[in-house]
């Protein structure tokens, strides 16, 4: 799915690439689209040299390292995955940023960091995975300094999922049900004591992701089969197209830029 663990952004939801692409070319295109979204979020945060930022649910750390390199600030990525912590640290080391970009294992719903220690935070497609999203938002607010900025980008049900679709989605992504609409994230942030600066619905810009991923999946089918085995691959062949169709047709995407109210 590209070199970041989030969706890619295409201007106006249109892919410029046409014709047949190799698996490597599709991977590179998706990674460029992911980086475009990361760069847009970097602008949203407005992080300055010398400041500190928290990446909540950092994945394997490409966006974390990217904002550290672009801003000159110190960035901490947290994730529940020890493998992702190792991957993030390796990225930071290779980029020569280990002195400013760090990774730790932590539960976003019970952060170990002290209160009011960060100037900004972001969460890119991680909140959908949390079993208690309001608790995670309250934790982000706690560790932010007054006036600190929080940028949250994640998915929602643009059209209500049927019970069967909910079950399919939960099985595919190991997460609780998505928020019922884009306003749910703003409501949770408001209730936690954030002031909403602005929101952006990015559903259209991310639609090409669901065109590219099935093609990349097919191009790398032999490699995936070798990794997961033939039985799991047979299940993927049946379920994966259904999951991607559900995402393309019924899932929306929202970005909320909020500030911790003093």
């Amino acid at each position: 799915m590209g070199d970041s663990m989030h969706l890619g952004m295409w201007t106006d939801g249109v892919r410029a690439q046409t014709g047949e692409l190799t698996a490597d070319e599709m991977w590179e295109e998706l990674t460029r689209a992911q980086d475009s979204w990361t760069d847009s979020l970097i602008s949203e945060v407005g992080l300055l040299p010398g400041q500190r930022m928290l990446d909540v649910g950092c994945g394997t750390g490409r966006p974390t390292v990217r904002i550290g390199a672009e801003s000159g600030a110190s960035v901490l990525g947290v994730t529940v995955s020890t493998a992702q912590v190792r991957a993030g640290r390796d990225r930071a080391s290779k980029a020569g940023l280990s002195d400013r970009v760090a990774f730790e294992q932590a539960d976003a719903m019970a952060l170990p960091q002290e209160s009011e220690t960060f100037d900004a935070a972001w969460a890119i497609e991680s909140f959908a995975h949390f079993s208690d999203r309001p608790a995670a938002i309250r934790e982000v607010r706690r560790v932010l300094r007054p006036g600190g900025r929080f940028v949250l980008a994640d998915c929602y049900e643009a059209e209500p999922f049927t019970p069967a679709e909910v079950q399919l989605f939960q099985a595919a992504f190991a997460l609780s049900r998505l928020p019922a609409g884009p306003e749910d994230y703003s409501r949770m942030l408001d209730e936690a004591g954030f002031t909403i600066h602005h929101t952006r619905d990015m559903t259209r810009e991310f639609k090409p992701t669901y065109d590219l991923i099935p093609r990349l999946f097919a191009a790398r089918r032999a490699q995936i089969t070798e990794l997961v085995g033939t039985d799991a691959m047979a299940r993927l062949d049946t379920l994966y197209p259904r999951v991607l169709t559900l995402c393309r047709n019924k899932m929306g995407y929202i970005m909320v830029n909020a500030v911790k109210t003093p």
Side-chain angles (χ1 to χ4, degrees):
M1 289 184 63
D3 206 24
S4 294
M5 296 183 69
H6 63 76
L7 301 179
M9 179 182 75
W10 281 262
T11 303
D12 296 326
V14 177
R15 290 184 59 216
Q17 294 281 5
T18 57
E20 292 300 318
L21 300 177
T22 66
D24 287 346
E25 288 169 339
M26 285 187 278
W27 177 280
E28 290 168 1
E29 183 189 348
L30 183 52
T31 296
R32 285 194 299 272
Q34 291 169 332
D35 286 346
S36 292
W37 182 226
T38 299
D39 291 345
S40 181
L41 293 173
I42 290 172
S43 297
E44 291 283 343
V45 174
L47 198 61
L48 300 174
Q51 291 186 327
R52 296 188 66 202
M53 191 191 103
L54 181 67
D55 183 344
V56 186
C58 60
T60 55
R62 184 178 176 91
T64 324
V65 171
R66 198 170 182 88
I67 192 169
E70 291 287 332
S71 67
S74 296
V75 187
L76 173 64
V78 295
T79 170
V80 294
S81 167
T82 55
Q84 290 178 358
V85 168
R86 288 194 299 269
R89 289 173 177 171
D90 183 58
R91 283 185 189 275
S93 177
K94 289 178 178 177
L97 293 172
S98 295
D99 60 326
R100 290 193 293 105
V101 180
F103 295 87
E104 295 179 5
Q105 187 176 15
D107 181 352
M109 295 174 289
L111 291 168
Q113 284 72 33
E114 294 182 3
S115 298
E116 299 187 0
T117 55
F118 295 95
D119 300 286
W122 73 14
I124 310 174
E125 296 169 34
S126 58
F127 261 75
H129 293 272
F130 300 153
S131 59
D132 190 341
R133 293 170 190 137
I137 290 175
R138 289 193 298 270
E139 279 293 273
V140 171
R141 187 183 185 280
R142 179 183 64 80
V143 301
L144 281 176
R145 297 188 177 102
R149 188 171 301 280
F150 180 34
V151 175
L152 189 158
D154 223 315
C155 304
Y156 65 90
E157 291 183 22
E159 295 183 27
F161 290 5
T162 67
E165 289 169 340
V166 170
Q167 187 176 21
L168 173 65
F169 197 80
Q170 291 174 340
F173 296 109
L175 49 75
S176 56
R177 187 166 185 172
L178 289 173
E183 67 283 351
D184 275 14
Y185 288 110
S186 295
R187 175 185 53 78
M188 287 186 284
L189 287 162
D190 180 70
E191 290 174 352
F194 283 94
T195 298
I196 307 303
H197 189 268
H198 63 270
T199 65
R200 291 169 61 192
D201 194 297
M202 303 296 295
T203 303
R204 182 177 64 174
E205 284 81 356
F206 291 128
K207 289 291 186 183
T209 302
Y210 304 114
D211 166 57
L212 196 57
I213 287 177
R215 296 173 62 191
L216 182 56
F217 179 80
R220 289 192 163 166
R221 190 180 185 284
Q223 294 168 271
I224 298 170
T225 302
E226 186 176 349
L227 286 170
V228 305
T230 55
D231 289 344
M233 194 66 202
R235 291 193 295 273
L236 281 173
D237 282 335
T238 300
L239 295 176
Y240 204 42
R242 292 172 56 199
V243 170
L244 291 172
T245 297
L246 174 62
C247 291
R248 182 180 63 246
N249 293 344
K250 286 194 170 184
M251 194 169 74
Y253 197 102
I254 192 75
M255 185 282 300
V256 186
N257 187 319
V259 176
K260 177 178 176 176
T261 306

